[in-house]
Amino acid sequence: MYYGSRIIVALDPPDGVNVIDWCLNIVRETRDLVAGYKIGLPLVVRLNSMEDLSILSKAMDGDRLKIVDLKLADIGNIMVSAVKPFIHHGFNYFIAHSFIGCRDGLDVLNSFLRENNAWLITVVSMSHRGSVEAMDDVVEKLLEISVNTGAWGVVAPATRPEIIRFVRKHIGSRAKILSPGIGPQGARPGDALMAGADYEIIGRMITRSSDPRHVVEEINKIHESPLREG
Amino acid sequence: MYYGSRIIVALDPPDGVNVIDWCLNIVRETRDLVAGYKIGLPLVVRLNSMEDLSILSKAMDGDRLKIVDLKLADIGNIMVSAVKPFIHHGFNYFIAHSFIGCRDGLDVLNSFLRENNAWLITVVSMSHRGSVEAMDDVVEKLLEISVNTGAWGVVAPATRPEIIRFVRKHIGSRAKILSPGIGPQGARPGDALMAGADYEIIGRMITRSSDPRHVVEEINKIHESPLREG
């Protein structure tokens, strides 16, 4: 068992596969070497049954981060209704947008999650070019909303390390930083950790490889050096 | 057949019901009297199978607006993957957040929708109190993103008619305005149309009534007067 990995594997199945079988293969090959897994809406809408989520959640080790990334961005009671089945099936971290605000929004979701031993992660910046059009102007406000809500973690993109540095400086140790955008989107493994992130969310680079376990081992090695420096 | 209704029924099933049977009952009672229907994430995660969406979509008349409200807020290719099964099952309008921006975000989604005879609706303001924390400061930017993307419609809350008036003034006739927030959330039927909206999205006031058809008929009557004035 490898402790201290900073890798969260994004389970984004390709077209034309049985999504649960595909995920189970990746999970069984990598679960002793990673910090956790993230599933998203494209996977959820391809499930034969929500019950399959229990199989997937049980295959992940008990203490892994089991993250559901629906990029929730609705009023509080709608978000609560949306997360209930996932909590029921064993998932325990949920990503929502801080853009929607705290009152009657994230505060309602976060209270519900805490009552159910689950945790909130908020998005404060994204990896695509559109993120600069409206979100990046208000990053500070988005961070404030996240901190006020009591989010466990925030999402900021590995593709723009200056945002990660800004976020770390602003929130200190009050929340974890999770960074997507490694691999095909442009950042290299280790870039986000070097800038101050706690976890790197990595999908295709691992899941589309012919040897996911080997790639995970290599990335864990790369991650060790910025961690030692930190 | 009643033409010209401005009602979109939000199908938000209560706990403890079979969601498809519940929706079909409401749809069959009201479909000749309304403009369309909206389903959301809380319904989707309670489906036994995505195939059930075909039954629901077929029960709605062919020319109704069949809106999927996932409040999409992700990078473009993720949103495209998320909407595919819904398009396959006959839904044709999709709600996404404009705050994620156009480039590699909404533009990718909108192109995909247009190629599939489906349409984009963007959120520019919300009905809950958290909407003022980050979104309302940048409404003008969010509208600009929506217009640049070529969205068919925008969502603005009936609870704050001044926002609807601002939106209408800003976008003219370039996009439809759809307004939630009527009933338990505080606005009355007709409030949003009076302020300049094209459609009112109404859920519990209709769906939790003992006689949904009668409520729809009454709201259609209320709507006729602001429409005549307009």
Side-chain angles (χ1 to χ4, degrees):
Chain A
M1 178 73 156
Y2 178 90
Y3 287 102
S5 173
R6 305 304 182 100
I7 300 173
I8 292 165
V9 182
L11 295 168
D12 298 331
D15 287 344
V17 301
N18 174 301
V19 293
I20 288 294
D21 291 347
W22 183 90
C23 289
L24 286 173
N25 275 335
I26 304 279
V27 169
R28 286 173 184 147
E29 273 196 68
T30 58
R31 62 188 162 190
D32 57 330
L33 296 176
V34 302
Y37 297 93
K38 178 174 91 74
I39 63 169
L41 199 49
L43 183 154
V44 171
V45 297
R46 287 172 62 190
L47 289 173
N48 286 324
S49 159
M50 291 289 282
E51 305 292 324
D52 288 349
L53 291 174
S54 279
I55 302 168
L56 184 55
S57 142
K58 279 181 192 130
M60 300 168 185
D61 278 1
D63 62 345
R64 304 296 91 167
L65 309 175
K66 301 175 187 179
I67 304 175
V68 180
D69 181 10
L70 304 174
K71 297 275 189 314
L72 293 165
D74 214 319
I75 56 177
N77 63 341
I78 302 285
M79 295 193 288
V80 165
S81 298
V83 301
K84 276 181 185 171
F86 297 93
I87 289 180
H88 176 72
H89 292 299
F91 286 81
N92 55 2
Y93 288 79
F94 293 86
I95 298 181
H97 270 288
S98 52
F99 214 101
I100 57 162
C102 190
R103 285 175 298 160
D104 301 338
L106 292 176
D107 54 0
V108 174
L109 176 60
N110 192 50
S111 299
F112 179 81
L113 292 179
R114 297 304 306 117
E115 284 160 19
N116 288 277
N117 297 312
W119 302 85
L120 177 66
I121 299 166
T122 57
V123 180
V124 296
S125 181
M126 295 173 73
S127 58
H128 69 305
R129 290 184 299 157
S131 186
V132 304
E133 296 172 29
M135 289 181 72
D136 285 9
D137 286 348
V138 290
V139 170
E140 215 162 330
K141 199 177 281 177
L142 300 181
L143 283 169
E144 197 182 305
I145 290 167
S146 302
V147 168
N148 288 347
T149 306
W152 173 86
V154 301
V155 177
T159 45
R160 282 176 297 140
E162 72 282 5
I163 297 270
I164 297 177
R165 280 190 288 269
F166 178 83
V167 170
R168 176 55 75 208
K169 194 174 165 190
H170 196 283
I171 61 171
S173 57
R174 285 174 292 179
K176 304 289 185 192
I177 300 176
L178 295 80
S179 285
I182 288 118
Q185 286 185 69
R188 294 161 307 174
D191 282 357
L193 295 194
M194 289 290 283
D198 295 284
Y199 297 100
E200 294 190 347
I201 300 171
I202 307 176
R204 286 167 281 179
M205 180 179 266
I206 293 169
T207 63
R208 302 293 201 274
S209 147
S210 58
D211 189 351
R213 186 175 176 85
H214 177 71
V215 177
V216 165
E217 286 169 336
E218 292 302 306
I219 298 173
N220 275 334
K221 280 184 209 159
I222 294 169
H223 281 178
E224 277 171 15
S225 67
L227 290 179
R228 269 198 299 270
E229 286 164 23
Chain B
M1 179 72 158
Y2 178 90
Y3 287 101
S5 173
R6 305 305 182 100
I7 300 173
I8 292 165
V9 182
L11 295 168
D12 297 331
D15 287 344
V17 301
N18 175 301
V19 293
I20 288 294
D21 291 346
W22 182 90
C23 288
L24 286 172
N25 276 334
I26 304 279
V27 169
R28 286 173 183 147
E29 273 196 68
T30 58
R31 61 188 161 190
D32 58 330
L33 295 177
V34 302
Y37 297 92
K38 180 174 89 76
I39 63 168
L41 199 51
L43 183 154
V44 171
V45 297
R46 286 172 62 191
L47 289 173
N48 286 325
S49 159
M50 291 289 283
E51 306 291 323
D52 288 349
L53 290 174
S54 279
I55 302 168
L56 184 55
S57 143
K58 280 180 191 131
M60 300 168 184
D61 278 1
D63 62 345
R64 303 295 92 167
L65 309 175
K66 300 173 187 181
I67 304 174
V68 180
D69 181 9
L70 304 174
K71 298 273 189 314
L72 293 164
D74 215 319
I75 57 179
N77 63 341
I78 301 284
M79 295 193 289
V80 165
S81 299
V83 301
K84 276 181 184 170
F86 297 94
I87 288 181
H88 176 72
H89 292 299
F91 285 81
N92 55 2
Y93 289 80
F94 292 86
I95 298 182
H97 270 287
S98 52
F99 70 70
I100 58 163
C102 190
R103 285 175 299 159
D104 302 339
L106 292 176
D107 54 0
V108 175
L109 176 62
N110 192 50
S111 300
F112 179 82
L113 293 179
R114 297 303 305 117
E115 285 161 17
N116 288 278
N117 297 311
W119 303 84
L120 177 66
I121 299 167
T122 57
V123 180
V124 296
S125 181
M126 295 173 73
S127 58
H128 69 304
R129 291 184 298 159
S131 186
V132 304
E133 295 171 30
M135 289 181 73
D136 286 9
D137 286 349
V138 290
V139 171
E140 217 162 329
K141 198 175 282 178
L142 299 182
L143 283 169
E144 198 181 304
I145 290 168
S146 302
V147 168
N148 289 347
T149 306
W152 172 86
V154 300
V155 177
T159 44
R160 282 175 298 140
E162 72 283 4
I163 297 269
I164 297 177
R165 278 190 290 269
F166 178 83
V167 171
R168 176 54 76 208
K169 195 174 165 191
H170 195 285
I171 62 171
S173 58
R174 286 175 290 179
K176 305 288 185 193
I177 300 175
L178 296 80
S179 285
I182 288 118
Q185 285 186 68
R188 294 161 307 174
D191 282 357
L193 294 194
M194 289 290 284
D198 296 285
Y199 297 101
E200 295 190 348
I201 299 170
I202 307 176
R204 284 167 283 179
M205 180 180 266
I206 293 169
T207 62
R208 301 293 202 272
S209 145
S210 57
D211 189 350
R213 186 173 177 85
H214 177 70
V215 177
V216 164
E217 286 170 335
E218 292 301 307
I219 298 173
N220 275 335
K221 280 184 208 160
I222 293 167
H223 282 177
E224 276 170 16
S225 66
L227 290 180
R228 267 198 300 270
E229 287 164 23

mmCIF file of all heavy atoms in Angstrom, chain B residues 167-175 177:
data_model
loop_
_atom_site.group_PDB
_atom_site.id
_atom_site.type_symbol
_atom_site.label_atom_id
_atom_site.label_comp_id
_atom_site.label_asym_id
_atom_site.label_seq_id
_atom_site.Cartn_x
_atom_site.Cartn_y
_atom_site.Cartn_z
ATOM 1 N N VAL B 167 -32.356 42.541 -18.385
ATOM 2 C CA VAL B 167 -31.999 41.552 -19.404
ATOM 3 C C VAL B 167 -32.721 41.870 -20.718
ATOM 4 O O VAL B 167 -32.113 41.885 -21.794
ATOM 5 C CB VAL B 167 -32.335 40.120 -18.930
ATOM 6 C CG1 VAL B 167 -32.180 39.110 -20.066
ATOM 7 C CG2 VAL B 167 -31.449 39.728 -17.744
ATOM 8 N N ARG B 168 -34.012 42.144 -20.617
ATOM 9 C CA ARG B 168 -34.785 42.416 -21.836
ATOM 10 C C ARG B 168 -34.252 43.638 -22.562
ATOM 11 O O ARG B 168 -34.094 43.647 -23.787
ATOM 12 C CB ARG B 168 -36.272 42.590 -21.488
ATOM 13 C CG ARG B 168 -37.157 42.963 -22.658
ATOM 14 C CD ARG B 168 -37.037 42.000 -23.840
ATOM 15 N NE ARG B 168 -37.732 40.752 -23.628
ATOM 16 C CZ ARG B 168 -37.366 39.595 -24.188
ATOM 17 N NH1 ARG B 168 -36.297 39.528 -24.993
ATOM 18 N NH2 ARG B 168 -38.037 38.490 -23.947
ATOM 19 N N LYS B 169 -33.946 44.663 -21.781
ATOM 20 C CA LYS B 169 -33.419 45.886 -22.367
ATOM 21 C C LYS B 169 -32.086 45.604 -23.080
ATOM 22 O O LYS B 169 -31.822 46.128 -24.170
ATOM 23 C CB LYS B 169 -33.196 46.927 -21.251
ATOM 24 C CG LYS B 169 -32.998 48.338 -21.745
ATOM 25 C CD LYS B 169 -32.938 49.320 -20.582
ATOM 26 C CE LYS B 169 -32.365 50.653 -21.062
ATOM 27 N NZ LYS B 169 -32.048 51.547 -19.925
ATOM 28 N N HIS B 170 -31.281 44.764 -22.456
ATOM 29 C CA HIS B 170 -29.943 44.495 -22.967
ATOM 30 C C HIS B 170 -29.960 43.617 -24.209
ATOM 31 O O HIS B 170 -29.238 43.872 -25.173
ATOM 32 C CB HIS B 170 -29.105 43.843 -21.867
ATOM 33 C CG HIS B 170 -27.634 43.840 -22.125
ATOM 34 N ND1 HIS B 170 -27.045 42.994 -23.032
ATOM 35 C CD2 HIS B 170 -26.630 44.589 -21.609
ATOM 36 C CE1 HIS B 170 -25.746 43.210 -23.051
ATOM 37 N NE2 HIS B 170 -25.462 44.176 -22.196
ATOM 38 N N ILE B 171 -30.798 42.572 -24.202
ATOM 39 C CA ILE B 171 -30.745 41.617 -25.319
ATOM 40 C C ILE B 171 -31.791 41.879 -26.382
ATOM 41 O O ILE B 171 -31.736 41.283 -27.457
ATOM 42 C CB ILE B 171 -30.870 40.140 -24.849
ATOM 43 C CG1 ILE B 171 -32.225 39.892 -24.174
ATOM 44 C CG2 ILE B 171 -29.722 39.740 -23.958
ATOM 45 C CD1 ILE B 171 -32.486 38.428 -23.899
ATOM 46 N N GLY B 172 -32.746 42.777 -26.110
ATOM 47 C CA GLY B 172 -33.799 43.022 -27.098
ATOM 48 C C GLY B 172 -34.521 41.742 -27.436
ATOM 49 O O GLY B 172 -34.920 40.999 -26.536
ATOM 50 N N SER B 173 -34.638 41.460 -28.744
ATOM 51 C CA SER B 173 -35.348 40.241 -29.141
ATOM 52 C C SER B 173 -34.384 39.148 -29.601
ATOM 53 O O SER B 173 -34.759 38.205 -30.274
ATOM 54 C CB SER B 173 -36.331 40.570 -30.268
ATOM 55 O OG SER B 173 -35.603 41.142 -31.352
ATOM 56 N N ARG B 174 -33.103 39.291 -29.208
ATOM 57 C CA ARG B 174 -32.108 38.313 -29.660
ATOM 58 C C ARG B 174 -32.214 36.969 -28.959
ATOM 59 O O ARG B 174 -31.680 35.972 -29.418
ATOM 60 C CB ARG B 174 -30.690 38.882 -29.494
ATOM 61 C CG ARG B 174 -30.369 39.946 -30.536
ATOM 62 C CD ARG B 174 -29.019 40.572 -30.277
ATOM 63 N NE ARG B 174 -29.051 41.403 -29.068
ATOM 64 C CZ ARG B 174 -28.010 42.065 -28.584
ATOM 65 N NH1 ARG B 174 -26.840 41.974 -29.176
ATOM 66 N NH2 ARG B 174 -28.133 42.804 -27.486
ATOM 67 N N ALA B 175 -32.895 36.938 -27.807
ATOM 68 C CA ALA B 175 -33.062 35.661 -27.097
ATOM 69 C C ALA B 175 -34.358 35.693 -26.291
ATOM 70 O O ALA B 175 -34.844 36.763 -25.912
ATOM 71 C CB ALA B 175 -31.870 35.402 -26.178
ATOM 72 N N ILE B 177 -36.549 34.948 -22.894
ATOM 73 C CA ILE B 177 -36.268 34.945 -21.450
ATOM 74 C C ILE B 177 -37.200 33.946 -20.766
ATOM 75 O O ILE B 177 -38.415 34.013 -20.942
ATOM 76 C CB ILE B 177 -36.463 36.350 -20.828
ATOM 77 C CG1 ILE B 177 -35.526 37.371 -21.497
ATOM 78 C CG2 ILE B 177 -36.235 36.300 -19.319
ATOM 79 C CD1 ILE B 177 -35.740 38.811 -21.014
#
